[in-house]
Amino acid sequence: MLPASDQPIALIDCNNFYVSCERLFDPSLRGIPVIVLSNNDGCAVARSEEAKALGIRMGAPVFKIRDLMQRHGVKALSSNYTLYGDLSRRVVDVLHGYSPRLDVYSIDETFIDLSGFGDRMEAHAARMRRAVGIETGIPTCVGIAPTKTLAKLANFAAKKNPIFGGVCNLMHPEVRDYVMRRIPIGEIWGVGPATEARLTAQGITNAAELRDMALPLARQIGTVVLERLVAELRGIACLDFEDVPPQRKGMAVTRSAGTPMTAFDVLAQAVTAHATRAAEKLRGHGLVAGTITVFFHTSPHKPERPQHSASRSVRLRPMSNHTFDLVDAAVGAARRAWKGDPAGNGCAYTKAGVILDDLVAEVERPELLFPPDRPRDARLMDALDAINDRFGKKTVVLGREGFESGWVTRAALRSPRYTTRISDLPTVRV
């Protein structure tokens, strides 16, 4: 383990990010309970503070809370990932002006190195938070601490306790101890329900008690993972600061179907769309894949229907990020898996996807003794990506994807993609 750290790490977290993105363009949503729904508008994946106060839990199925939503006027919206992703990028662009080292952890969280700011770090964090609000309109809170785990706790405190004014600094041991004694173990980054139950059985109920736990006991209860977490709570940095993101080892594109897929041609359209998107992502990261896996399955929530799941993997030779290569391999794998279905096409498949493995940088792709003669393929893919980047996703698609996609995920309540689609810009008439 590394020695106790005195280098400050800040975590800036966008408050209720999906809801904040929606409120940015629709002020009528402010002050009322709002939830954002998962694919196919099935579950709540984001909630405003007003919705949380009503007792709506993360992942709550809509059909179970429909009466509650009607009684309290809860506004439900479909996920608008295009909008959220673009606003996330804009937030990170602002943060680059406040530190040379960033570690983008998720769509709404970024770790920031504040080394060298000394006593000015809190004021610097407050300026950073204010700049994000002014330039993007997204509200944030900042937690500062010597380790990533403590920075997460500091951010939690900054959100929950207005005394901190949106910026909580746990670099001071006295403040750190005060905060940790008031945060239950279930709120600690990396402590899941099973681990929480085992710790509670040991009489450990808050972050300070977990910090003071003997390391051998921590390893016994939760393996080396919990032992490292306890060390992080003591200020010993065990999680690296990754200002250069590591190369991806795998990639997946999966979607639930808006309408159950009962015929192979419909499944093939969905698999084609997923493989096409996977190829785009590979090219965007400068990678090629060596293996592609296709899977599809029925809904486990409808036991009255025939149940079945299937998957097949295919080696890509040569390793590729070419749309045609991935689509051919994926559809071929799906066809073989479909033939192996004992129920034939009597099953109603509700989800399908492709998974890419054995990823390497395109420049490091192994050479074949007899490579295929396709000199124009790279230019074709460049043209395909350029057209779709300029005129919008799916402006140009493979014919195999079809033109009437009944399987497409439902998003009946999605807001416009204001920042990435000219056609979605609001119109002002004077």
Side-chain angles (χ1 to χ4, degrees):
M1 290 184 181
L2 299 174
S5 173
D6 59 357
Q7 301 299 315
I9 297 174
L11 174 66
I12 185 166
D13 185 7
C14 302
N15 300 340
N16 305 320
F17 182 56
Y18 291 178
V19 173
S20 294
C21 291
E22 299 289 353
R23 285 175 166 173
L24 184 61
F25 293 94
D26 186 356
S28 68
L29 299 176
R30 296 173 185 172
I32 67 172
V34 180
I35 61 173
V36 176
L37 305 176
S38 62
N39 289 337
N40 282 321
D41 297 342
C43 303
V45 295
R47 305 152 297 155
S48 68
E49 292 300 324
E50 296 83 0
K52 294 176 184 177
L54 294 175
I56 298 177
R57 301 177 63 85
M58 178 67 77
V62 171
F63 74 90
K64 289 187 176 181
I65 60 173
R66 201 175 300 278
D67 290 343
L68 176 68
M69 293 169 59
Q70 292 175 350
R71 285 200 309 272
H72 296 279
V74 177
K75 178 70 173 180
L77 297 166
S78 301
S79 297
N80 190 343
Y81 296 118
T82 302
L83 176 67
Y84 310 152
D86 185 63
L87 288 172
S88 174
R89 177 189 59 77
R90 296 179 185 217
V91 169
V92 173
D93 285 346
V94 175
L95 298 179
H96 275 294
Y98 288 84
S99 176
R101 298 186 68 201
L102 303 182
D103 182 355
V104 180
Y105 176 67
S106 67
I107 193 171
D108 60 346
E109 296 175 291
T110 300
F111 290 103
I112 301 164
D113 183 5
L114 292 184
S115 300
F117 287 97
D119 294 337
R120 297 178 293 118
M121 72 178 73
E122 283 187 48
H124 187 73
R127 284 193 297 270
M128 176 175 66
R129 176 174 177 260
R130 188 162 52 250
V132 170
I134 293 173
E135 297 187 38
T136 70
I138 301 297
T140 60
C141 285
V142 181
I144 306 171
T147 70
K148 284 186 171 182
T149 302
L150 285 171
K152 291 277 283 188
L153 290 184
N155 190 279
F156 177 83
K159 284 183 177 181
K160 298 298 181 180
N161 195 332
I163 193 175
F164 294 112
V167 178
C168 176
N169 182 3
L170 296 189
M171 294 300 293
H172 305 293
E174 299 82 5
V175 178
R176 191 186 312 166
D177 189 70
Y178 173 87
V179 168
M180 292 177 73
R181 293 193 182 282
R182 288 159 177 79
I183 296 181
I185 55 173
E187 299 293 344
I188 300 174
W189 187 31
V191 176
T195 302
E196 180 182 2
R198 290 194 292 269
L199 291 172
T200 302
Q202 296 287 329
I204 296 172
T205 60
N206 61 51
E209 292 172 347
L210 181 58
R211 173 201 61 197
D212 299 335
M213 182 182 195
L215 291 178
L217 180 58
R219 179 181 284 246
Q220 179 182 342
I221 291 176
T223 73
V224 69
V225 175
L226 185 60
E227 182 182 25
R228 288 175 178 168
L229 190 151
V230 171
E232 284 255 327
L233 292 177
R234 295 179 181 181
I236 302 171
C238 301
L239 301 175
D240 293 334
F241 192 97
E242 297 176 344
D243 48 336
V244 178
Q247 180 176 300
R248 302 182 69 155
K249 305 293 188 206
M251 190 179 293
V253 177
T254 69
R255 296 287 186 275
S256 297
T259 302
M261 300 174 287
T262 57
F264 178 76
D265 287 345
V266 177
L267 175 69
Q269 291 177 4
V271 169
T272 297
H274 302 338
T276 298
R277 177 58 184 144
E280 292 174 351
K281 292 173 69 175
L282 280 177
R283 293 193 293 272
H285 289 278
L287 301 171
V288 292
T291 304
I292 184 168
T293 300
V294 176
F295 74 89
F296 47 93
H297 62 73
T298 55
S299 172
H301 305 294
K302 297 183 178 180
E304 69 277 6
R305 295 183 177 179
Q307 298 292 299
H308 184 254
S309 63
S311 67
R312 289 291 187 279
S313 296
V314 177
R315 300 287 291 177
L316 297 171
R317 289 294 179 266
M319 302 178 77
S320 180
N321 58 18
H322 193 290
T323 298
F324 296 167
D325 291 343
L326 268 64
V327 168
D328 286 345
V331 173
R335 189 180 300 278
R336 290 192 293 277
W338 181 275
K339 288 180 178 179
D341 176 4
N345 61 1
C347 292
Y349 295 103
T350 57
K351 189 169 186 176
V354 299
I355 302 171
L356 303 176
D357 291 303
D358 302 331
L359 307 188
V360 300
E362 188 169 9
V363 295
E364 299 174 359
R365 172 169 45 190
E367 295 291 338
L368 296 180
L369 182 59
F370 300 105
D373 184 19
R374 300 189 305 188
R376 293 183 295 177
D377 278 1
R379 289 163 52 193
L380 177 61
M381 293 298 101
D382 288 344
L384 180 66
D385 293 340
I387 292 171
N388 287 330
D389 284 345
R390 180 175 179 180
F391 297 104
K393 292 185 182 298
K394 295 190 177 298
T395 299
V396 177
V397 300
L398 272 63
R400 189 182 286 180
E401 188 173 325
F403 301 98
E404 295 182 0
S405 304
W407 55 269
V408 171
T409 301
R410 290 193 302 270
L413 306 172
R414 187 180 63 199
S415 58
R417 286 160 283 194
Y418 298 102
T419 64
T420 57
R421 293 283 182 94
I422 292 179
S423 60
D424 285 2
L425 287 175
T427 302
V428 179
R429 302 184 185 278
V430 294

